[in-house]
Structure formats: structure tokens, C-alpha cells
Amino acid sequence: MISNLAFIHPDAQLGRDVTVEPFAYIAGDVVIGDGCWIGPGAVIHDGARIGRGCRIHTAASIACLPQDLKFQGEYSTAEIGDNNDIREYVTISRGTRSRGKTVVGDNNLLMAYVHIAHDDVVGSNCVIANRVSLAGEVEVGDWCVIGGHAAVHQWVRIGDHAMIQGGSLVGKDIPPYATVGNEPLRFAGVNKIGLSRRGFSAEQIGVIHDACRILFQSGLNYLTGCEEVERQIPQTPERDKLVTFIRESKRGVCKPSLTAIEE
């Protein structure tokens, strides 16, 4: 259903069974996939590429201009995958010449007032809670949970399956599989419940626990800790993902734990 009270530019490309509610605005350089719902007052700007089955709620703004003083009007896009639930007043900026696009994967829940800045890359199956703000060029992996009101600094990377406490100030990279909290932000444990729900075996989780004890509780610096993990822990994809993430960090990794990891 397309409301007569919505504005849709004649050049916009809408798929089958798209619903557009009253007072929504859809610009011309826009592609919207099959089965999407565009809520009342939502604004879909030039450069939006939206997949199938997305729900974009009241007053969300997709592919809005980057809030970046370096942006000079160059062509860029905001590319959103399938089955995303984008709640009220979410803003997703399009890219700049840095990457040329902002990317959001599939099956994400972006709660009200979330801000996804220019050139960010957000994976799939993430939950980003109310009023989380991601600065420019942030990378968020798959299956991440970011608690409400968290603020993430430019260029930070958040690894797969990480969980971040609400209200956190995230200025360093967050390793995969980790739960982090406190101020300043520290490793608080392994996201065991999340991993179990996603089908990780007890053996896989055990390897992650053993590696994290060395990396975040031994007192070793992280690069030496990576070497010790490789020496002590048998090779698995989970071990290698942790070690590679830390070695590739450019901003540095969040602080180590102050307490023992829960058994």
C-alpha cells in the first residue's frame, strides 16, 4: 500500500509489496527491496539502497548527509541488507570519499535514536540499543550487542559476538566473544550465554575461555599474550580470530580484566 500522503520521487525504485505510510519521503536515487515497510514520516534520502523485508519506523532518516566537515558532496551510498528493524528516529548517514558507503548487514535491530555515522560497517544479527552513537568509520562485527547510550569513537572495531555494557564510552577495540563494561572500559568476561545460544559447543567456549585468561588476566601485554596463546592453546578458528583481531588493532584493545573470569 502506498499512501497518497507520502512523497515518492518518480525515479525511486520500489520492489513488490512495499508499504509506504503517510508523510514518508523517498528521494529519487533510492532502491527499496520487496516487502519493506516505510513508516509515517520516515525520510529515505538519495543514495539509500535497502534490501528486502526491512521495517523503517517513524521519522527514521536513511542515507542522510554525513556529519563530517571533510564531506564535499561526493557521491556515496548507505547500503542496508535484508530484514532489518530500524526504529524511530534512527539516523544512518551515507559514506564519504573515505569508503564511499555506509553498510548495515541483515537481521539487525536498531532501536530508537541510534546513530550510524558515515562509512560505518555494521554486520548482521546485531542488537544496538536506544541512543547508541557510532562515530565515523566504526566497524561492528556479527552478532554484537551494544547497550543503550553507549558512545563509540571513530575507527573503533567491535569483534563478532561482543557485548558492550550500556552507557559505555568505547575508545578502544573490543575483541570478539568478549563482554566489556566499567569505566574505563575493561574486559569483563566471555559472552558465554550468547555463544551458547548461537550453537557454540562447550569445547569451543572452553578454548575461548582459556585464551582469554591468558590475554586478559595474565598481566602480559597483548602482543606477548598472543604468542603465549599460540604456544599453549591448540589451534582453532576461535583462537585464531582472537589473536588476529588483537594483532591487527590500530587503536589498541580495551583494558584487561580486574577480576577472574567466571568458570
Side-chain angles (χ1 to χ4, degrees):
M1 180 190 76
I2 308 295
S3 171
N4 291 331
L5 297 177
F7 174 83
I8 303 174
H9 193 284
D11 293 339
Q13 301 178 42
L14 275 60
R16 297 186 302 274
D17 301 320
V18 172
T19 297
V20 183
E21 300 288 3
F23 310 113
Y25 173 93
I26 300 176
D29 182 21
V30 167
V31 178
I32 298 176
D34 298 343
C36 287
W37 178 80
I38 311 300
V43 180
I44 315 298
H45 299 267
D46 287 322
R49 304 290 184 265
I50 299 170
R52 299 182 301 274
C54 291
R55 295 179 59 82
I56 299 176
H57 290 252
T58 302
S61 184
I62 309 301
C64 45
L65 292 178
Q67 300 176 59
D68 182 355
L69 294 176
K70 299 187 298 300
F71 180 68
Q72 299 296 318
E74 60 268 21
Y75 183 80
S76 60
T77 58
E79 302 181 7
I80 297 168
D82 299 336
N83 303 315
N84 291 290
D85 196 2
I86 298 173
R87 296 305 302 256
E88 297 80 1
Y89 296 94
V90 167
T91 52
I92 302 177
S93 299
R94 61 186 176 96
T96 69
R97 64 171 51 91
S98 175
R99 289 179 174 166
K101 60 184 177 181
T102 301
V103 177
V104 176
D106 303 327
N107 307 311
N108 296 294
L109 170 57
L110 309 183
M111 296 187 191
Y113 293 94
V114 164
H115 176 60
I116 308 293
H118 64 89
D119 303 292
D120 287 348
V121 178
V122 177
S124 296
N125 302 296
C126 296
V127 176
I128 303 181
N130 303 80
R131 295 186 184 274
V132 168
S133 292
L134 305 184
E137 304 192 50
V138 166
E139 298 180 14
V140 179
D142 297 333
W143 297 101
C144 293
V145 177
I146 305 178
H149 298 263
V152 183
H153 195 281
Q154 285 176 295
W155 303 295
V156 160
R157 296 184 308 143
I158 299 171
D160 295 347
H161 303 281
M163 186 171 188
I164 298 174
Q165 176 183 341
S168 295
L169 301 178
V170 186
K172 300 290 187 181
D173 291 347
I174 308 302
Y177 315 120
T179 298
V180 296
N182 300 312
E183 177 58 38
L185 201 64
R186 292 182 176 274
F187 177 86
V190 172
N191 186 12
K192 180 179 178 180
I193 293 175
L195 295 174
S196 297
R197 288 173 176 169
R198 294 163 205 151
F200 281 69
S201 68
E203 291 75 17
Q204 288 173 302
I205 295 172
V207 166
I208 294 168
H209 267 281
D210 292 342
C212 287
R213 287 189 179 93
I214 296 170
L215 290 167
F216 302 110
Q217 291 188 273
S218 66
L220 298 172
N221 68 59
Y222 286 143
L223 293 182
T224 303
C226 287
E227 295 173 357
E228 195 65 17
V229 166
E230 289 177 327
R231 190 181 70 82
Q232 293 191 33
I233 308 298
Q235 184 177 17
T236 68
E238 293 74 32
R239 186 205 75 169
D240 290 348
K241 182 186 286 285
L242 270 167
V243 168
T244 299
F245 183 94
I246 290 172
R247 284 177 170 154
E248 291 180 349
S249 175
K250 293 181 173 63
R251 288 195 57 81
V253 177
C254 66
K255 291 181 176 291
S257 175
L258 287 174
T259 57
I261 299 175
E262 181 181 353
E263 295 294 341

